[in-house]
Amino acid sequence: MSAKAYSVIGTRPIRHDGADKVTGRALYGADFTAAGLLHGAIVRSPHAHARIKSIDTTRALAFPGVKAVVTSADFPETAERMVDLGEGDTPLSYARGNVLAIDKVLYRGHAVAAVAAASPHVAEEAAALIDVVYERLPCVLTAPEAMLESAPQLHDGKSNLASQFQHVLGDAAKGFAEADVVVEREFNTATVHQGYIEPHNATALWNNDGRVHVWCSTQGSFVVRDCTALILDIPVSRVKVTPMEIGGGFGGKIPVYLEPVAALLSKKSGRPVKIVMTRKDCFEATGPTPGSFMRVKIGATKDGRITAAQAYLAFEAGAYPGAMVGPAGMTVFAPYDIPNAVVDGFDVVVNKPSTAAYRAPGAPNAAFATESVIDELAQKLGIDPIEFRLKNAAKEGTRRVDGPKFRRIGCVEVLEAMKNHPHYSAPLGGPNRGRGVAVGFWFNVGLQSSATLNVNADGTVNLVEGSTDIGGTRTSIAMQAAEVLGIPVADVNPSVADTDSVGFTAVTGGSRTTFATGWAAYEAAQDVVRQMKQRAAKLWEVEAAAVSFDSGVFTSGGRKLTFKELADQLPATGGPVVGSATVNPRGVGGSFAGNIVDVEVDPETGKTTILRFTAVQDVGKAIHPSYVEGQMQGGSVQGIGWALNEEYFMGADGTMMNSSFLDYRMPTALDLPMIDTCIVEVANPGHPFGVRGVGEANIVPPTPAIANAIERATGVRMTRLPMSPPTVMEALWSAGN
Amino acid sequence: MPAQTHVTATINGEPVQFLCEPRQSLLECLRDILGMTGTKEGCNDGNCGSCTIVFDGRIVTSCLVLGVEARGKEISTIEGIARGNRLHPLQQAFLENAALQCGICTPGFIVAAKALLDQEPEPDEERIRFWLANNLCRCTGYDKIVRAVEQAAAVCKQEAAR
């Protein structure tokens, strides 16, 4: 636990952008407007799989008010090559093809063409006048089916099995032979969506000087810049992205969908063009998280020692390769010290939208399988489920099945906190009730970040950074600068800058923003201190090394200047002080999370009610505890939705049957109790303040914790997500209840 | 271009007039014609509550009201909640309780919660959850939102007692 006393870190200041966001003044992507603005509409495929025979835009172009129409034929002619879109290499034709279909449509809702017109309504009307002739092809919707020889092939000449991997640790066969009890089960999880409330949006202006300016809501303005440039085959230096406020992302606002299309429409029309997705578009044509088929087998000795584990993970990538099965393989057995394990992962393309990251992508699927099997093993062995986990918990030095050895981690501390939490021993208080537990892991990421601090004459500082703020990170980053400078956090004025005005900064994702961009701000503040020591030295006519700095005060001998006093003297001592820093940190600390959950299952309807929910997480160091709790609560509730209700209902023809918030049932305030949080702080030795990152691990344990609770309530083990009322009823009936 | 209709209404206590097409929703009129972008669009089919406004004393999702229906009506939006330079106790409570993360749903929640407190000064947790079930938030898990509304109710009650 971190014992150091801080003056800013660990406090709960009001966020800097707060007033704007509670008054409606904050400007999100869809709020942007410009003189001469046109509105775009996208023509989308009504079929899940078809060849495009022809596209006739004549009628649309003749429609009054229409200024431009584009299709994939408007992409510049570029030889095929591999490009990095921020989440690994992909062929350029795939990157372009998901933005505007090339030759084939691969999922219902796939963008085929776009129109720019004087108003959104005119654009929509004109879009309906674009005549596309399709040759329909049979579609395939699940990974196991898509892997069959007889399955329709999405990408001509290429297997639907886009890639596969195997991790091996020790000797699994030998390990299973040593086991007294072995549990093996198959699991299925449905496609789910991030469900951010703000639809995707983008406005682009292809200016007369050849420069492209984009305003949009994104998790990564530099990703938008780089992807737009790659897809349009122009230098990154010609693209400027101004990130607007963003209304939720959870991984789904990393890829580009609209930006290159708006840019092409702008190029053709000579006017700025704005495109905003409908909610239906968000469901049908952005990147949900993969549905999966998994088989997990774990063996243990009578005294509760795990001897071997095996996982088969087949994930649906959607239309293009890149299902998050890699991270699933890295996290599937991460909470445990298992000497012998083998993991097989399969990335399979199917006729659904191309999947994207969703909060700890891949890990919740895998944990649903593993933590259900672990729970069943504990039951068979007659060991308390937390004790069983503690007996086998991963710790510093434990080797993960995918290779890395853990540095200092908090798995044991999280489990101990769960065991000691009053919730764990509280009475359940009624029939049809059960209590479940589970743990989960997310490794977190580092990646590049930049920050600049400009010192003002009044002793405040302006912080310029490049991480789009989705949940209060302006403040969690500013707090780290304030801590170093010894000034109140209200004296740090943070702003998220456009891509021309700040150094490269990777996405707000991977639980990295407070960790990495916070670290950049920490280093930039150190730079300010170093320069200001030189200024004090100049004033006092001493060596800079003779100047000390502590808690916002510069001293040397008997002389003393506060940060504010010295800031006022900068013009006289050489001019402004600007501190800057860039980082690409390696010291990432993974995060473990655990849940205790009480449920009641209605035996008449199969409906599961969450009675009580406790979220525990090792966050390293909580910079702003309120927003740390908020991440834990938000991730938990997304996990609850995933567990109990959320799924894409797919028709046999590949049509999503529930593409609205009415039918895609996310949790409401009325569905939930308060979400209790328990912050565990096992400092990450790889960060100056011990930060690990808190955004993602919290979504990993809810689905198995709830499944385990349902089992305790009903005696029935659920192996399919979501555990919606009909699914639970079916399971109860087949179990003879 | 379809003919436009002239609409006069009262918005946040001020008389307002605008021209709109009959097919334009009140949400579009507020955002695109009047530039009042504090009211947000999340779904455009009445299911997320981000565009919640008060319409002649009732809370409605403005995406499901036509602009032309606003003729002669009293409308309140998020832009009218603060008392001049001072935040409304709900706005202050949302900040103090960290009851927002991305903030896109926040205007809708605050408008809906104010309508609740205006008519029921002491709602319990269950009542707050029931009332706000029309508003989706994907970031917070609602815990801190419910607490913020409870705190604001207490502050409003104190203010009323003064």
Side-chain angles (χ1 to χ4, degrees):
Chain A
M1 306 283 164
S2 44
K4 194 165 184 293
Y6 295 116
S7 56
V8 177
I9 284 169
T11 64
R12 300 172 185 246
I14 286 176
R15 60 194 282 175
H16 296 78
D17 54 342
D20 283 348
K21 285 183 176 165
V22 297
T23 55
R25 292 201 179 98
L27 293 175
Y28 293 73
D31 303 334
F32 179 80
T33 191
L37 185 70
L38 298 178
H39 298 267
I42 307 270
V43 180
R44 297 188 179 277
S45 169
H47 309 302
H49 194 190
R51 207 169 291 284
I52 300 170
K53 305 297 285 183
S54 65
I55 304 176
D56 185 350
T57 61
T58 321
R59 291 198 302 149
L61 278 168
F63 193 72
V66 170
K67 304 293 179 189
V69 175
V70 295
T71 68
S72 63
D74 292 291
F75 288 130
E77 278 186 34
T78 314
E80 179 73 311
R81 62 192 167 101
M82 298 302 284
V83 296
D84 181 1
L85 299 186
E87 291 191 304
D89 283 350
T90 191
L92 178 61
S93 62
Y94 288 4
R96 285 179 168 177
N98 199 34
V99 169
L100 282 171
I102 302 171
D103 303 332
K104 275 178 90 178
V105 287
L106 299 171
Y107 55 94
R108 187 190 148 102
H110 199 153
V112 174
V115 185
S119 86
H121 294 284
V122 173
E124 199 179 335
E125 284 180 291
L129 299 176
I130 292 185
D131 299 302
V132 186
V133 178
Y134 297 97
E135 175 196 340
R136 285 187 69 173
L137 301 167
C139 66
V140 62
L141 301 172
T142 69
E145 287 167 326
M147 284 196 280
L148 297 174
E149 284 283 320
S150 57
Q153 210 173 46
L154 272 76
H155 299 280
D156 297 341
K158 289 188 183 132
S159 166
N160 291 338
L161 174 54
S163 67
Q164 67 186 85
F165 64 81
Q166 184 172 63
H167 298 311
V168 179
L169 182 67
D171 181 345
K174 179 173 144 286
F176 281 117
E178 289 165 9
D180 296 311
V181 184
V182 174
V183 173
E184 179 173 16
R185 282 198 182 261
E186 288 181 352
F187 300 87
N188 284 279
T189 73
T191 301
V192 298
H193 197 268
Q194 298 86 352
Y196 35 78
I197 305 297
E198 177 206 37
H200 289 256
N201 57 75
T203 305
L205 170 65
W206 197 305
N207 212 342
N208 304 68
D209 58 5
R211 284 181 56 89
V212 177
H213 194 165
V214 176
W215 299 261
C216 62
S217 302
T218 176
Q219 290 178 242
S221 47
F222 285 88
V223 172
V224 172
R225 182 194 70 170
D226 294 0
C227 292
T228 302
L230 279 168
I231 287 169
L232 300 177
D233 205 14
I234 53 178
V236 290
S237 56
R238 297 253 294 273
V239 182
K240 171 180 176 176
V241 176
T242 299
M244 306 296 290
E245 297 302 333
I246 168 174
F250 313 107
K253 285 185 188 151
I254 297 173
V256 297
Y257 300 102
L258 302 174
E259 292 83 351
V261 181
L264 285 175
L265 287 169
S266 177
K267 187 180 187 186
K268 276 198 165 174
S269 64
R271 309 251 298 259
V273 177
K274 173 155 94 173
I275 312 178
V276 181
M277 282 196 191
T278 64
R279 179 53 50 182
K280 188 179 169 72
D281 293 345
C282 290
F283 278 118
E284 290 192 343
T286 65
T289 208
S292 53
F293 168 79
M294 301 171 289
R295 195 184 309 117
V296 164
K297 177 179 173 185
I298 305 178
T301 58
K302 280 198 284 271
D303 63 349
R305 179 68 52 195
I306 298 175
T307 57
Q310 185 168 8
Y312 173 100
L313 310 168
F315 277 41
E316 297 161 4
Y320 297 95
M324 290 289 178
V325 66
M330 295 158 72
T331 55
V332 61
F333 298 130
Y336 303 106
D337 185 354
I338 304 178
N340 308 291
V342 55
V343 175
D344 287 286
F346 303 88
D347 180 16
V348 188
V349 294
V350 299
N351 292 114
K352 289 184 181 177
S354 190
T355 56
Y358 175 21
R359 204 168 199 154
N365 308 49
F368 174 58
T370 298
E371 288 294 284
S372 295
V373 169
I374 289 281
D375 194 61
E376 193 170 346
L377 264 176
Q379 284 176 307
K380 289 205 161 144
L381 292 165
I383 305 176
D384 172 87
I386 294 184
E387 284 302 335
F388 180 55
R389 286 173 170 85
L390 271 169
K391 263 179 192 285
N392 295 284
K395 44 186 88 64
E396 190 168 1
T398 298
R399 187 175 290 286
R400 256 177 22 211
V401 62
D402 55 313
K405 264 191 185 171
F406 278 120
R407 291 147 49 102
R408 182 75 174 95
I409 49 170
C411 185
V412 169
E413 287 81 353
V414 164
L415 283 161
E416 292 283 356
M418 290 165 67
K419 190 172 81 174
N420 298 328
H421 197 284
H423 182 174
Y424 196 55
S425 50
L428 274 167
N432 303 313
R433 292 181 173 189
R435 174 169 298 146
V437 297
V439 293
F441 170 73
W442 184 249
F443 40 82
N444 298 343
V445 303
L447 307 179
Q448 302 169 82
S449 280
S450 309
T452 303
L453 286 168
N454 299 293
V455 181
N456 297 316
D458 63 359
T460 64
V461 295
N462 293 336
L463 164 65
V464 182
E465 44 107 349
S467 287
T468 54
D469 183 350
I470 317 186
T473 53
R474 279 180 180 87
T475 303
S476 67
I477 294 163
M479 288 171 77
Q480 297 180 60
E483 185 69 47
V484 173
L485 298 176
I487 60 177
V489 69
D491 286 355
V492 181
N493 172 35
S495 58
V496 179
D498 64 69
T499 54
D500 279 5
S501 309
V502 65
F504 186 92
T505 299
V507 293
T508 295
S511 303
R512 64 174 292 279
T513 304
T514 299
F515 169 80
T517 309
W519 196 339
Y522 167 91
E523 295 292 347
Q526 301 284 358
D527 189 26
V528 166
V529 169
R530 187 182 54 73
Q531 294 181 51
M532 290 194 45
K533 276 183 176 173
Q534 289 169 350
R535 303 303 179 87
K538 209 169 185 177
L539 283 171
W540 293 331
E541 295 178 343
V542 296
E543 291 294 314
V547 178
S548 310
F549 179 72
D550 187 44
S551 304
V553 181
F554 296 87
T555 52
S556 184
R559 286 161 300 196
K560 164 177 141 176
L561 279 172
T562 64
F563 186 86
K564 189 173 177 168
E565 288 163 347
L566 184 54
D568 193 39
Q569 306 225 33
L570 297 182
T573 55
V577 162
V578 177
S580 65
T582 65
V583 297
N584 190 7
R586 302 285 172 212
V588 180
S591 175
F592 285 86
N595 294 154
I596 308 167
V597 56
D598 297 353
V599 303
E600 182 171 315
V601 182
D602 183 340
E604 302 290 321
T605 63
K607 180 173 188 283
T608 300
T609 302
I610 306 288
L611 301 172
R612 185 172 178 184
F613 195 101
T614 301
V616 182
Q617 188 173 347
D618 171 26
V619 306
K621 178 69 196 168
I623 299 294
H624 190 309
S626 296
Y627 285 98
V628 167
E629 292 161 3
Q631 288 293 323
M632 293 165 68
Q633 291 164 334
S636 296
V637 167
Q638 285 186 317
I640 290 170
W642 197 334
L644 295 180
N645 287 303
E646 294 180 33
E647 68 181 301
Y648 275 44
F649 283 98
M650 301 302 292
D653 65 350
T655 302
M656 183 187 182
M657 315 296 281
N658 59 328
S659 55
S660 79
F661 275 147
L662 182 64
D663 299 318
Y664 183 89
R665 182 67 167 77
M666 306 201 306
T668 72
L670 193 56
D671 298 322
L672 298 160
M674 292 296 187
I675 306 296
D676 291 333
T677 55
C678 172
I679 297 175
V680 174
E681 293 183 316
V682 177
N684 170 19
H687 185 275
F689 294 124
V691 171
R692 289 181 185 274
V694 66
E696 293 168 290
N698 38 58
I699 200 177
V700 184
T703 61
I706 292 168
N708 296 340
I710 291 174
E711 199 284 336
R712 307 288 162 141
T714 64
V716 171
R717 187 154 287 285
M718 301 300 300
T719 57
R720 180 175 288 275
L721 291 182
M723 298 172 285
S724 55
T727 320
V728 171
M729 271 330 282
E730 210 174 283
L732 289 174
W733 285 329
S734 12
N737 295 22
Chain B
M1 196 172 173
Q4 293 189 318
T5 302
H6 181 244
V7 177
T8 57
T10 305
I11 302 182
N12 300 326
E14 301 283 335
V16 169
Q17 47 183 316
F18 58 89
L19 288 173
C20 70
E21 292 178 27
R23 63 182 167 185
Q24 287 185 291
S25 70
L26 180 53
L27 174 62
E28 284 180 83
C29 295
L30 289 171
R31 291 176 52 82
D32 299 342
I33 299 174
L34 298 169
M36 299 174 70
T37 55
T39 305
K40 302 300 180 188
E41 176 184 321
C43 68
N44 212 27
D45 55 17
N47 289 305
C48 77
S50 299
C51 65
T52 301
I53 61 167
V54 181
F55 188 77
D56 259 11
R58 288 177 58 200
I59 52 170
V60 298
T61 46
S62 57
C63 68
L64 296 188
V65 179
L66 290 171
V68 292
E69 294 181 277
R71 184 178 287 144
K73 303 291 185 188
E74 294 262 354
I75 292 164
S76 327
T77 70
I78 184 67
E79 286 91 348
I81 300 277
R83 302 149 171 185
N85 248 343
R86 264 181 57 226
L87 292 177
H88 184 276
L90 266 166
Q91 294 170 314
Q92 189 62 29
F94 266 63
L95 295 181
E96 288 174 7
N97 288 272
L100 64 150
Q101 284 177 33
C102 81
I104 195 86
C105 71
T106 309
F109 268 96
I110 288 177
V111 169
K114 179 170 181 295
L116 171 65
L117 299 188
D118 284 349
Q119 63 186 70
E120 297 177 36
E122 291 180 75
D124 63 10
E125 182 192 333
E126 187 69 10
R127 182 65 180 152
I128 295 169
R129 288 186 178 277
F130 180 81
W131 186 272
L132 295 178
N134 282 331
N135 293 73
L136 290 175
C137 169
R138 192 58 159 174
C139 295
T140 65
Y142 305 102
D143 182 303
K144 292 181 187 301
I145 292 176
V146 173
R147 289 177 202 276
V149 176
E150 287 174 334
Q151 179 186 315
V155 172
C156 289
K157 201 180 150 201
Q158 276 173 8
E159 287 184 358
R162 254 181 235 147

